[in-house]
Amino acid sequence: MNQVEMDSRKNVEGFLNRHWSRKRRMSPRYSMRALARDLGCSPSFASRLLSGKKTLSVDLARRIRKPLGLDSVSARELESLMVQSTLAKKGLKRAVREQVRVRHRDIEKY
């Protein structure tokens, strides 16, 4: 397994992509529109979710459990991935704020 495959197993987008791939293997006609219907969103929003350009809200995550046929283990995995994603984003925001603060201080010195 390469690094990209390992990373995709560790995030919400990877989880949703695995689910979509599984559904497509079972039924090749399972389209992005069908996934969007199951998620209760537009096809463009579903596409952005799969690509990681949009994040899955907690509310949507709760609503999609049943339509996607997630068992309790998969539902817990999705929740865990969402928590990890949220924490990582908060950490990134803190790091960016700190960088801005440091650079602002450096500019004020001159």
Side-chain angles (χ1 to χ4, degrees), residues 49-68:
L49 278 174
L50 291 175
S51 68
K53 293 178 182 174
K54 285 289 186 182
T55 57
L56 188 64
S57 69
V58 174
D59 181 50
L60 182 57
R62 287 185 180 134
R63 285 188 290 145
I64 66 173
R65 286 182 201 165
K66 201 171 197 172
L68 292 183

Side-chain angles (χ1 to χ4, degrees), residues 50-103:
L50 291 175
S51 68
K53 293 178 182 174
K54 285 289 186 182
T55 57
L56 188 64
S57 69
V58 174
D59 181 50
L60 182 57
R62 287 185 180 134
R63 285 188 290 145
I64 66 173
R65 286 182 201 165
K66 201 171 197 172
L68 292 183
L70 299 180
D71 59 9
S72 61
V73 173
S74 295
R76 280 195 301 265
E77 178 188 359
L78 178 59
E79 287 175 14
S80 174
L81 290 169
M82 289 183 65
V83 168
Q84 290 172 9
S85 175
T86 301
L87 291 175
K89 287 177 185 173
K90 286 182 180 181
L92 179 61
K93 286 179 183 178
R94 272 191 223 115
V96 168
R97 277 194 297 259
E98 183 59 29
Q99 287 257 331
V100 168
R101 200 174 300 127
V102 167
R103 289 184 184 195

Side-chain angles (χ1 to χ4, degrees), residues 20-35:
W20 190 43
S21 295
R22 196 175 312 120
K23 287 274 223 175
R24 286 185 62 107
R25 277 193 305 273
M26 293 184 324
S27 174
R29 295 185 68 188
Y30 190 75
S31 64
M32 182 66 69
R33 285 181 187 217
L35 176 67

